[in-house]
Amino acid sequence: MSKRDLRFTKSHEWLKMKGNDALIGLTDYAQGELGDIVFVELPAAGTHVAAGDVLTTVESVKSVSEIYAPVAGDVVDANAALEDSPDLVNSDPYGEGWIVKLKVDDASAVDGLMTADEYEEHTKG
Amino acid sequence: MSSDLDKARKTAFFDRHVAAGGKLVDFVGWAMPMQYSGIVDEHRRVRSTVGMFDVSHMGEFHLSGEGALGDLERITTNRVAALDEGSVQYSAMCYENGGFVDDLLVYRLSDSYMLVVNAANKEKDLEWVRTHIGSRTELRDASEGTALIALQGPLAEKVLAKVAGKSVVSLKYYQSVTSQVAGREALVSRTGYTGEDGFEVYVEADEAGPVWDALMEAGAEFEIEPVGLGCRDTLRLEMGYALYGNDIDEKHTPVESGLMWITKLKKGDFVGRDAILELKQGGPEERLVGFELKERGVPRHGHRILSEGREVGVVTSGTFSPSLEKGIGMGYVAAGTDGPLGIEIRNRTIPAATVSLPFYRNGTVRSR
C-alpha cells in the first residue's frame, strides 16, 4: 500500500478511505516506538466515536498505548486476525496490521488530517 | 536524543549501545539500553542461546577489616559466616521495622566482602551501610570505576570459555573467581537474574570496552546479541525474582515477600530481626503471590487484584510472558485469599489464577 493514499494524525494513527469506510491503524513510526505488540483490544462493531475518542488500546511488552479515532464514525469492523497475531501491527502496520474499520460520518473531515509528508515532518520534530 | 538523556551518566559501553542501535532511556540517572532489536527477540535470545547485558549501573561496595564479618551479619539478613572464599549469596538489608532497605548480592572475596546493590538505591544503601558499621570496618564505594557485564543464556559458558581461564568454566552456581577475561583482570561469578545459566563479569570501567568487544566476537558463532533492560525485566519476572521498588520495598518485609529463605533468624541478632520474628509468629496480613491471566491482557504495576468482586491486593509487577505467551504478574494479596482472582485492567476484570513460582520452569540455571 502506498503511503500517498493515507492520512495521518499527530497521535500516530493512519487512515485510508474506501468509499465511506476508513481503515485505521498505527503508524510504522509508532509501532517502532512501542516495540513488540502483544495485545490489541478490539472494539465492538456498532460503537459510535467522535474524533479524538479512544477507539481501542494496544499493549506492547513495555507499555500501553491508546488509539484515537482520527474522525467521527461508527465502528463497523475490527481486525480479528490481531487476536492471535497482534504482532501484525509491528510487521505490516499499513497492511495486515490494520486495526479498525470505521464508517465515517463526514468524509470531508479526512481532509483535515496530515499527508504522508506532513506526518514525516511531524515525527522528525 | 532528549536533553534528559544528555544529562544521564554513561557506562563504559555507552558508545557501543549507540552503535548497535540500542534504544537508550534514562534509568535512575543512567543512560541505559531498553532494547536493541526488540524485547521479545532479546528475551528469546537469552532463553535459547546467549545475550549480553550492560548492568554497570549497579552499585558495588567493598567492606574489609576485622569488623567486616560481624558488621555484615548485623546489617544483612542471610548468614554471612556461611560463605567460603569465592561464594556469593543473595541477601537483603532491612530497617528496624523489617521493611527492605534493598536486596543485594554478598561476595566473599579473598580479603574483603563485596556488596552489589540496586542502582536506584545506591546512595541510600551507601549511607545505610556507612552508619551501621564500626570503626574496625573499612567501606569503599567502587561503583564508579566498576563495569558489569551479565552474560546470560544456555551457551554463556561456551562464549566465556573462549576468552577466560579454565577456572571460570568449572564455577558452580553462586561461586566467583578472579580470572583474566580477554586479557583483563576480572571478577567472574556464575550468577544472574534471568533463570538461565550465565555469568556476571566485573571489570575496571577503564578497561571494559575491549572485554565487551571480545565477548561479542567470541559469541558470534552462538548468535550472541546485546540485550537490554526490557528483556531483563521479562526474564526475571518469568522466574518470579523480586524487583526492588516493585515487589519489595520499605513497606514490606521478607515475611510477606517470600524471602524468609534468605532471612536467618537463628544466626543471631541483625537489624530488623525482632520485627520480622514478630510478624512471622503473628502471621502477615498479606503475601506476595504469582498469578497468570486466563484471558488475553497484560497486567501492570498498580492494577487492582480482586477476589469475589472485592479488592484484595495490588499488582507489583506484570508483563506479557514471551515464553508462556500470556499475561503474568506478582502482587500482594490479603492473607487467606483463596480461589480465582480477577485483575482490573482499565475498566475490565480479567480472570486470573495464582500459580506457584517460577512461572517459567525450563530455564538452564538449575542444571548447574
Side-chain angles (χ1 to χ4, degrees), chain B residues 55-61 115-119 122 141-143 202:
Chain B
V55 280
S56 303
H57 57 314
M58 306 282 286
E60 293 88 9
F61 309 151
L115 312 188
V116 183
V117 304
N118 283 299
K122 195 215 119 186
D141 175 12
S143 309
Y202 300 83

Side-chain angles (χ1 to χ4, degrees), chain B residues 47-62:
Chain B
R47 289 265 181 261
S48 61
T49 65
V50 58
M52 192 156 74
F53 296 92
D54 174 8
V55 280
S56 303
H57 57 314
M58 306 282 286
E60 293 88 9
F61 309 151
H62 289 266

Side-chain angles (χ1 to χ4, degrees), chain B residues 36 43 46 56 70 79 85-86 89 121 189 194 279 283 315:
Chain B
Y36 302 82
H43 182 108
V46 173
S56 303
R79 191 189 302 271
E85 186 178 328
Q89 162 179 93
N121 292 336
S189 59
T194 63
L279 250 174
V315 176

Side-chain angles (χ1 to χ4, degrees), chain B residues 102-177:
Chain B
D102 203 358
D103 63 338
L104 70 160
L105 292 181
V106 179
Y107 285 68
R108 184 174 167 193
L109 306 178
S110 60
D111 53 2
S112 68
Y113 291 90
M114 181 171 77
L115 312 188
V116 183
V117 304
N118 283 299
N121 292 336
K122 195 215 119 186
E123 294 306 324
K124 175 186 84 172
D125 290 352
L126 187 62
E127 192 53 31
W128 182 259
V129 173
R130 196 195 310 280
T131 54
H132 284 79
I133 58 175
S135 57
R136 294 182 308 134
T137 303
E138 283 159 45
L139 168 65
R140 182 170 66 87
D141 175 12
S143 309
E144 192 73 30
T146 305
L148 176 53
I149 296 169
L151 187 70
Q152 300 282 301
L155 303 185
E157 181 185 285
K158 291 191 190 302
V159 177
L160 197 55
K162 290 170 71 178
V163 294
K166 283 203 184 81
S167 57
V168 160
V169 176
S170 54
L171 272 179
K172 294 221 170 5
Y173 191 48
Y174 268 67
Q175 294 290 319
S176 71
V177 68

